[in-house]
Each structure stands twice: as structure tokens, then as C-alpha cells.
Amino acid sequence: MIVHPAQLGHQLSLNENPYGPLPSVRAALTDALVAANRYPEFLPRRLPGLIAERLGYPPDRVVVGAGATGVIMHILQEFVTPGAAVVMAAPTFDGYPLLTDTVGGRVVEVPLTRDGHQDLAAMSATIDPGTAVVVLCSPHNPTGTCLRHDALAGFLERTDPSVTVVFDEAYIDFVPPGDRADTAALVERHPNLVVTRTFSKAYGLAALRVGYAFGAAPVIARIRRWQLPFGMTALAEAGVRACYAAEAELALRTETITRECGILTAALRELGYRVPTSAANFVYLSGCAPAELDRLRVGFARDGIQVKHCATGIRITVGDTAATTAVVTAAR
Ligand code: PMP
């Protein structure tokens, strides 16, 4: 039986794009299916080449993986020896504590500031000779807050180059260009900086599992050692190629999501909730008393709205207009 998405209520717990693939992307994927009996490349060359070309890098500056999650896994496998520390904000993307555990690393959590920002001074103070990796996200998950270029640049200057700094830009395409850190300049200066991105969010290809990292060639070569032979699908390459050919149409969708994010933020603030200004496709209700969090949990569940419950608040993905109305009605 095929279940229509409307019967599932509103799926707002995974920061997915509410829109299915564009017709041109769907057509490219259908075409690629014709050759589904054939293996993809043994180790991906064309897909990282395509992404590198888009970024203006030689191919050896980019590594791909099964979503940004796959790339993050390979980064931790390469740089985290058993017992070494991985410093991250708390809360952060669940994958970081989970995968750190998988590779035998030690999770070191640094609480967010009261207004939902990563506390860079506290994170720097936590780094010691036992630290292998530090993770920063911009926009941050679950708060949607951005790290300014100067703050990141300062952090990198005072971080020992033996520590690998992962700068996670999963939601970068939602950020106004003027608010983005100049990562292209920073990777030239800091060979220990690795920037990760994904096609799961603004590009709407979460099911295809395509993520990548860029940085200096030596650090990328080390990450690439962990790639699984035949590990990236041929559909991934077809999907990325088609998305790049449809950038203008995709940008319109991203703008719609950004607009809806503003509407949802304003409505929730109007109801009295503390909501950091989000530059991503989700908002974070924070500063709620436990009883209020419980009330919201019950209300969202009753209305068939799936959201992400964190220790300090609730993260809600921005969906379509109907989803915004449903969220605001349930919260009220
Ligand atoms: N980083 C962050 C900050 C995320 O929120 C996510 C997904 N929720 C990812 C990485 C991983 O995304 P994917 O594996 O789908 O590329």
C-alpha cells in the first residue's frame, strides 16, 4: 500500500526539504536507472570532479561520501585514535556524538550560550593535547545560528594545527551570501580545516546520500583513504549533475523556505517563545520550562506533527505554508 505524505501528517523532524525533486532532476534520475545493472565507479572520480569544478578547485581538494554523515565518519576514522577527544557544542547534530563513539573517541561537549550560539571561547579552553578534532557548525543544528567569519578566523588562529577543525556547512545554501564565512580563504591558510556540505538539504536529495568535504589536498587525501569501493551510487552523480543544471529553480525554492522560516519564527515569538534567528531550514524553540516542553510534545503528537525533541528545546523543520499553520495552531 502506498501511503500519501498527507496521511503522515507533517514530517518536520529531520530538516528535509519539503519539495520533491524538480521535474528535470527526476528525469535525469529516471534516465540513470536504465543502467542500474552496472556498477558505479570503483572509487568516485567524476562526482568529486563535478563538485570541485563548481567550487573552482582541482579534484584532489574534494572528497565525497554517503551524505555529509559518511564524510564525517571518514574524517573521524582517520583523525580520532581510541580515547582521543572530539570537542563539540551541546546540543549539536546527533551524528557527531554517535560517530565519535563508533570510532572509539571521547565526546567532549561544550554547552551553547544562552542565545543559541556555539561558545568558541569555551571550546578553545577545552582543547588540550588529547584533542583530535573540533566540530563547529554554521548554521548550527539545532539553533540555526551562524558563526561570523571573524569569529571562525580567530578560532582557527588560536587552535593548534595538529587539531583537525571540521566546519559543517550542511545548511549553507540557506544563508545570505554576506553572512557566510569565507571558507575558501580559510582553507588556504589552515591545512587542518575541513569544510563539509551536503546535497540533502537545499538540494533536496536526502534519499540519494551525497555529501562532500573540501580542504587542503593532503587532508582530503587522508580522508579519501576510507572510501568504500563502489560506495557512491550512479544516481548520486546523475542527481548532482541535474541539480547543478537547475540552480536557478532550486534557488527559488530555497528563497521560499527562507521566507517561510521568517514567518514561522515571527509567529512563534508572538506566542512568547524564545526562538533564535535561524539562517537554516528549521527553528528552535528554547528556554521553555519542562512542563511547557511536555505540553508541546503532547500537542504536536496529537496533531500528527513530527518534530525533534532536544534536551533544551524543540527543533522544528520549516515545511510548506500548511505545515507552518499546523505548527502554530498546535503551539497555541
Ligand atoms: N551536519 C548537520 C549539521 C546536519 O544537520 C546533518 C543532517 N541533519 C548532517 C550533517 C548530515 O546530513 P547528510 O548525511 O544527509 O548529508
Side-chain angles (χ1 to χ4, degrees), residues 107-190:
V107 176
V108 175
E109 297 182 320
V110 179
L112 295 174
T113 63
R114 213 182 99 81
D115 54 359
H117 287 267
Q118 291 156 102
D119 190 338
L120 295 196
M123 292 177 89
S124 287
T126 308
I127 295 170
D128 65 20
T131 304
V133 172
V134 181
V135 179
L136 298 172
C137 304
S138 186
H140 188 61
N141 174 359
T143 54
T145 53
C146 272
L147 253 176
R148 312 297 305 186
H149 176 85
D150 292 350
L152 174 62
F155 182 86
L156 288 163
E157 287 300 331
R158 61 180 185 266
T159 300
D160 191 280
S162 67
V163 175
T164 302
V165 177
V166 174
F167 191 61
D168 182 323
E169 292 192 320
Y171 303 95
I172 189 68
D173 306 284
F174 297 105
V175 180
D179 291 347
R180 299 179 189 178
D182 185 358
T183 45
L186 292 172
V187 292
E188 300 308 323
R189 185 166 167 80
H190 300 281

Side-chain angles (χ1 to χ4, degrees), residues 14 66-69 72 93 96 137 141 168 170-171 198 200-201 209-210:
L14 289 170
T69 303
I72 292 160
F93 168 48
Y96 286 109
C137 304
N141 174 359
D168 182 323
Y171 303 95
T198 180
S200 300
K201 308 299 178 182
R209 314 306 303 128
V210 199

Side-chain angles (χ1 to χ4, degrees), residues 280-305:
N281 65 336
F282 53 85
V283 299
Y284 191 59
L285 286 187
S286 60
C288 300
E292 176 60 8
L293 284 179
D294 277 347
R295 190 189 74 82
L296 288 169
R297 187 189 301 270
V298 171
F300 287 137
R302 181 198 56 220
D303 291 0
I305 303 168

Side-chain angles (χ1 to χ4, degrees), residues 37-307:
N37 56 315
R38 303 293 176 190
Y39 280 101
E41 288 180 291
F42 179 70
L43 290 173
R45 287 279 167 264
R46 285 190 303 266
L47 177 58
L50 191 66
I51 296 167
E53 190 185 331
R54 207 18 100 108
L55 298 174
Y57 287 131
D60 65 349
R61 303 281 305 267
V62 172
V63 59
V64 293
T69 303
V71 182
I72 292 160
M73 178 73 178
H74 295 163
I75 293 170
L76 298 178
Q77 283 174 311
E78 175 63 23
F79 294 104
V80 181
T81 51
V86 179
V87 174
M88 62 191 77
T92 187
F93 168 48
D94 285 344
Y96 286 109
L98 201 115
L99 298 177
T100 298
D101 211 41
T102 303
V103 304
R106 190 162 43 87
V107 176
V108 175
E109 297 182 320
V110 179
L112 295 174
T113 63
R114 213 182 99 81
D115 54 359
H117 287 267
Q118 291 156 102
D119 190 338
L120 295 196
M123 292 177 89
S124 287
T126 308
I127 295 170
D128 65 20
T131 304
V133 172
V134 181
V135 179
L136 298 172
C137 304
S138 186
H140 188 61
N141 174 359
T143 54
T145 53
C146 272
L147 253 176
R148 312 297 305 186
H149 176 85
D150 292 350
L152 174 62
F155 182 86
L156 288 163
E157 287 300 331
R158 61 180 185 266
T159 300
D160 191 280
S162 67
V163 175
T164 302
V165 177
V166 174
F167 191 61
D168 182 323
E169 292 192 320
Y171 303 95
I172 189 68
D173 306 284
F174 297 105
V175 180
D179 291 347
R180 299 179 189 178
D182 185 358
T183 45
L186 292 172
V187 292
E188 300 308 323
R189 185 166 167 80
H190 300 281
N192 57 327
L193 172 63
V194 182
V195 182
T196 61
R197 292 184 182 166
T198 180
F199 285 89
S200 300
K201 308 299 178 182
Y203 286 89
L205 298 182
L208 298 186
R209 314 306 303 128
V210 199
Y212 66 92
F214 65 90
V219 78
I220 296 301
R222 288 185 62 179
I223 299 164
R224 196 180 285 120
R225 297 192 320 119
W226 293 90
Q227 287 185 132
L228 188 67
F230 301 119
M232 298 299 290
T233 73
L235 289 189
E237 187 190 328
V240 167
R241 205 177 282 282
C243 280
Y244 278 161
E247 289 278 26
E249 267 176 286
L250 283 171
L252 290 178
R253 288 180 160 191
T254 307
E255 282 164 28
T256 304
I257 294 167
T258 299
R259 224 174 13 251
E260 202 64 43
C261 184
I263 293 168
L264 180 59
T265 302
L268 292 171
R269 283 179 180 163
E270 186 113 323
L271 292 177
Y273 293 105
R274 203 161 83 212
V275 183
T277 297
S278 170
N281 65 336
F282 53 85
V283 299
Y284 191 59
L285 286 187
S286 60
C288 300
E292 176 60 8
L293 284 179
D294 277 347
R295 190 189 74 82
L296 288 169
R297 187 189 301 270
V298 171
F300 287 137
R302 181 198 56 220
D303 291 0
I305 303 168
Q306 295 174 60
V307 296

